[in-house]
Amino acid sequence: CLRSHLHLSALSLLDKCLCGSDSSTPVIQLRLAGEKRKHYEGRVEVYYNGEWGTVCDDDFSIYAAQVVCRQLGYLDAVSWHPSSKYGRGEGRIWLDNVHCSGRESSLAQCESNGFGVSDCKHTEDVGVVCSQKRIPGFRFINTLANSVEVEDIRIRATYSHRKRIPITEGFVEVKDGGKWRQICNEGWTEMNTRVVCGMYGFPGEKGYNTRAYKKNYWGHSVNCTGNEAELSDCKLGREVELKGNRTCEQGMPVVISCIPGRAFAPSVSAGFRKAYRVEQPLVRLRGGAMIGEGRVEVLKNGEWGTVCDDNWNIRAATVVCRELGFGSAKEALTGGQLGQGIGPVHMNEVECSGFEKSLTECFFNRDVLGCSHEEDAAVRCNVPAMGFHTRLRLSGGRNPYEGRVEVLGERNGSLVWGTVCSDSWGTMEAMVVCRQLGLGFASNAFQETWYWQGDSSADAVVMSGVRCSGTELTLDQCLHHGKHIHCPRGGGRFAAGVSCTETAPDLVLNAQVVEQTTYLEDRPMYALQCAQEENCLSSSAKGADTNSYRRLLRFSSQIHNNGRSDFRPRAGHQSWIWHECHRHFHSMEVFTHYDLLSLNGTKVAEGHKASFCLEDTYCDEGIQKTYVCANFGSQGITVGCWDTYRHDIDCQWIDVTDVKPGDYIFQVVINPNYEVAESDYTNNIMKCRCRYDGNRIWTKLKQCLGFKFKKCHQINNKNITAQ
């Protein structure tokens, strides 16, 4: 029988022995891991044969959850969750088809396929929720995996930093046996500090010396390599002999000092921000719902591209997170989980040590053959606890994801809850609210909230004139009137409101289709009467002779939904507008803008397209069409499908009749008014550099923000009369 201090159950406390009655039962270590969790819940991970792995949800039951929780020192299990609720694990899937009676003392004693025998993927990783009550006398120390297992870890602010946000300096304390304990700094290393700072959202650390009073010490030291995502991944060091006031005689309690990223630097220190040199970023995150998460994109030769997920792991993800001013990575995501990018795939098979300053310093394979945007890598990073959610709330909604927006504002010298004026309130402002509360993306922005009964004492408007770019971390970082409140309609029923969602669509224009289908057409005015009624021609067309011609720059647009939820018009059927001339409804009055700009950005010609029919024209293999316009059907674009507006339908053009020969920029913008929320608006724009000589037009395609010229395409003038 192997002796161990690992996860003692109530029965095993007598002999402190982990093995079952059958000496052939493998000895394993368990832990709970994953994102958005408390210490008594998480993804079940098993340490076996020197390696951590997960458990598949096939045949898992509440009885198996009870065994897991008791082995971890909790009295019972509350529930269990399939389908990687706490995020996907890494490495081996050790157990599959687990059958427990609930009486086993170790998960290894339950029936299963055997260790390492599984046909599951990490999308099937199982999680459990244990009761918060612990088995009396239980200790979280182990000798098998030799890793740190405690109930919780915190940085308790030093006296001089107790009012700072975020807390960057303080005592490292662990909760073990229900009590907070300090760690002796004898043998404490810079790598240990790096790990703790990283798990609390800080990219860097610095030395700190303080004289502190001795208190209640933990009985172990810690050894980290610096690459661990959490302190619980580090190895246990030597035991610390607990001798009352004489404990840790040669040292003091561990105190660390972390360096926050630029976005989270304390505002009280003006010099703090000056210490950061703003440079052109080489890496960015796109498509994430929360602060510090998103699809990884890299800048190469002036063009943004994605990273293939082959070999993508937590070390590479941590390099990205720290480079962008966050802490270590919570999760390395694969399979385009946070949406698919556009343009090239720049990096494949990335290998990082974990200590690089930038992802671009890691080894990688430039050969991306076989990689597609379905394999785009993404990250979720640890971010500092800024208390953003305490300054904002949603009130009166049917669920926590919706309601009237109420902010904590200053009024007559004191902080009070009040509403936000809904004048100019839109999707971008709602996006910032949802992100600040950690509720994901905005699904709707409301300018009337009479149907949500908020707190009547908070009816007064305390914030007005709010205008956001969509990238702000908090609503008060947006432009607003400050103390000079101006809101003619007042608060109450006209206060701003939002509804939030964890996923969002992401529309992307296929620029190649635009290039390949573009041509000039001269069309007579008598064939353009319906288009004239819908304002699809330039102003000079008004009063023009019916036998005169208009020169139209025509093209097709193919619009893909690369997001994680369907794109649906904001207005319901009952609000769609009927257009008699074309005999159809418009579900969105402006779905796309088409512009011809001078090289300095001035509009010289423009067009627009209403969404008279948003539907799934085609879908990727294996995806069923959902939206069909026929017979007043529902409109939208399913994830993995695309909608095509052909070049030969009305208003699918720019009227260039009055345009003089010269060099121009041809621009297409999808969802230009942000009428429908998306996970990423930066990929909604396509730009082409073009030259017009009066009869022909040449285009040089460049993706917006990529600005890389690709092909030169000549478009000849076609004289076409109406049939």
Side-chain angles (χ1 to χ4, degrees), residues 341-486:
I342 59 173
V345 177
H346 282 326
M347 303 175 79
N348 185 24
E349 298 176 346
V350 177
E351 292 185 19
C352 303
S353 69
F355 293 92
E356 293 85 354
K357 295 295 183 184
S358 171
L359 188 68
T360 58
E361 297 176 8
C362 298
F363 292 104
F364 65 94
N365 189 347
R366 288 181 170 81
D367 182 4
V368 295
L369 192 66
C371 286
S372 69
H373 288 301
E374 293 177 354
E375 301 170 87
D376 284 346
V379 298
R380 287 196 175 102
C381 307
N382 287 310
V383 297
M386 301 295 294
F388 290 153
H389 62 284
T390 63
R391 307 202 294 264
L392 188 77
R393 68 186 184 189
L394 301 183
S395 181
R398 296 163 295 179
N399 59 62
Y401 285 81
E402 67 176 21
R404 185 175 77 174
V405 178
E406 295 178 358
V407 297
L408 199 58
E410 187 175 332
R411 195 176 183 193
N412 298 327
S414 59
L415 289 175
V416 296
W417 286 101
T419 57
V420 178
C421 185
S422 63
D423 291 353
S424 75
W425 185 259
T427 301
M428 286 302 190
E429 291 70 37
M431 280 286 203
V432 174
V433 168
C434 293
R435 185 187 302 117
Q436 182 175 347
L437 291 172
L439 298 178
F441 302 105
S443 55
N444 281 294
F446 301 97
Q447 293 190 342
E448 289 189 24
T449 51
W450 54 268
Y451 35 81
W452 286 329
Q453 292 301 313
D455 186 346
S456 59
S457 65
D459 279 350
V461 175
V462 296
M463 196 174 194
S464 65
V466 181
R467 298 296 296 271
C468 303
S469 68
T471 60
E472 296 86 354
L473 301 181
T474 64
L475 198 63
D476 57 14
Q477 290 178 359
C478 300
L479 294 173
H480 58 93
H481 291 155
K483 296 180 180 180
H484 307 287
I485 305 298
H486 177 70

Side-chain angles (χ1 to χ4, degrees), residues 527-539:
L528 296 170
Q529 293 308 303
C530 286
Q532 174 75 348
E533 286 187 20
E534 292 191 17
N535 297 315
C536 294
L537 300 175
S538 61
S539 57

Side-chain angles (χ1 to χ4, degrees), residues 247-265:
T247 303
C248 193
E249 283 186 294
Q250 302 303 313
M252 300 295 293
V254 169
V255 177
I256 65 172
S257 181
C258 305
I259 301 173
R262 188 171 190 273
F264 307 101

